[in-house]
Amino acid sequence: MKWDTLDEEPCSLSRTVAVVGDRWTLLILRECFLRVRRFEGFQSSLQITRHLLSERLKKLVRFGILRRVPYSEAPKRYEYILTQKGLDLYPIIMAMVHWGDTHMGDERGRPLLHEHKNCGKLFDPVMVCSECGEPLHAKQVHVHAGPGRKEAVG
Amino acid sequence: MKWDTLDEEPCSLSRTVAVVGDRWTLLILRECFLRVRRFEGFQSSLQITRHLLSERLKKLVRFGILRRVPYSEAPKRYEYILTQKGLDLYPIIMAMVHWGDTHMGDERGRPLLHEHKNCGKLFDPVMVCSECGEPLHAKQVHVHAGPGRKEAVG
DNA sequence: GTTTGACAGTTCTATTTTAGAACTATAGCC
DNA sequence: GGCTATAGTTCTAAAATAGAACTGTCAAAC
């Protein structure tokens, strides 16, 4: 597989996988959503090798998920802030957390609880249809080839 | 990182990443949701090496995402069917597809369109709060340590 | 004014994973 | 017997990751 052009495949899943489809990247993003911003912060909480962390942060910046922002001029120091494109990954992360809560739990109970500030309650994320608002299930969805697929296939 | 025990970390994201946190696994799951079930089917549509495909299918069966079901007795042939645990991965896949549609699109338009059979319309998936039904955004969520975290940390 | 420590990386070698291709095994069909 | 289909396994080469040490800048402590 040519992983270097995966982000140009005529498949939105492939394109997303090209960006966030590896273990370290997903764990780094978890830390981002937990408000970690600095190299040493990621490194110490994840125990990732510095080499790979450096590599992954560069990639996330290159794809516009993180912005490298200086927070000190001398010495030059940067922190990594989620862009809007990065913040929009939240449903993916939350969907993964929720699946883990549901299917990979143990007797100790949930590791984290999530409170929705708007309503003040502890919640679970639910995926619904943008048109009718009903919860979505795989078997209720029919897939059609869109223009981007038809053009690519010929 | 000890990837072999990632599924026991006191973090639901880590546990999910342990199961679906690599590129091939995510692409295999895409095919599953597109109704692919057989070894040759996965292999030819993904161009994955047979070795890795075999490896990943075993892992997905081991984690209870797929069930290996015989469809021919002589010679013994099996197909791989999503379990309920596997079907529950749908929000993750759809969240990724939607992010790709939104942020990784090109001038050719969307590769796939999704129709919700219940309401008959083309839709996008939206993640909402289980309690108030409002769409969720990262900045509106406050995270608390749950019992599983507290016990693990001490 | 030299040492220590914090931070943000880079460089190096050893190990593990993945790619790519060939091979094995069972059975139906001609 | 020879050909094809399916579902794998085995092998070697290439690529990615782990783990540790090293670099460079500056502030603060001694």
Side-chain angles (χ1 to χ4, degrees), chain A residues 62-82:
Chain A
R62 182 154 37 83
F63 276 115
I65 308 298
L66 296 175
R67 212 172 40 245
R68 189 158 172 270
V69 182
Y71 72 90
S72 151
E73 279 306 322
K76 274 272 186 194
R77 292 285 150 73
Y78 298 90
E79 51 189 11
Y80 296 88
I81 313 281
L82 284 165

Side-chain angles (χ1 to χ4, degrees), chain A residues 30-35 90 93-94 97 110-117 121-123, chain B residues 137-146 149-150:
Chain A
R30 173 190 76 186
E31 297 302 307
C32 292
F33 282 108
L34 292 172
R35 315 287 198 271
Y90 195 62
I93 300 294
M94 280 304 276
V97 169
R110 295 192 181 190
L112 294 181
L113 302 173
H114 298 269
E115 177 189 335
H116 191 208
K117 290 183 195 168
K121 298 201 183 120
L122 297 178
F123 72 97
Chain B
H137 300 286
K139 300 199 167 178
Q140 302 163 345
V141 173
H142 188 70
V143 177
H144 302 267
R149 172 61 58 90
K150 287 172 185 154

Side-chain angles (χ1 to χ4, degrees), chain A residues 12 16 88 101 103 115 144, chain B residues 12 88 96 101 103 115 144:
Chain A
S12 295
T16 302
D88 286 351
D101 280 339
H103 290 290
E115 177 189 335
H144 303 267
Chain B
S12 294
D88 286 352
M96 295 183 86
D101 280 339
H103 290 289
E115 177 190 337
H144 302 267

Side-chain angles (χ1 to χ4, degrees), chain A residues 38-65:
Chain A
R38 298 184 184 177
F39 192 93
E40 297 293 323
F42 292 111
Q43 206 280 318
S44 64
S45 65
L46 292 173
Q47 298 296 101
I48 182 176
T49 66
R50 308 177 74 77
H51 178 83
L52 272 206
L53 176 57
S54 171
E55 240 268 332
R56 290 294 191 278
L57 289 172
K58 272 180 203 152
K59 179 176 158 190
L60 287 168
V61 169
R62 182 154 37 83
F63 276 115
I65 308 298

Side-chain angles (χ1 to χ4, degrees), chain B residues 59-73:
Chain B
K59 180 175 156 188
L60 288 169
V61 169
R62 183 154 37 81
F63 276 115
I65 308 297
L66 297 175
R67 214 171 38 245
R68 190 159 173 268
V69 182
Y71 72 90
S72 151
E73 278 306 321

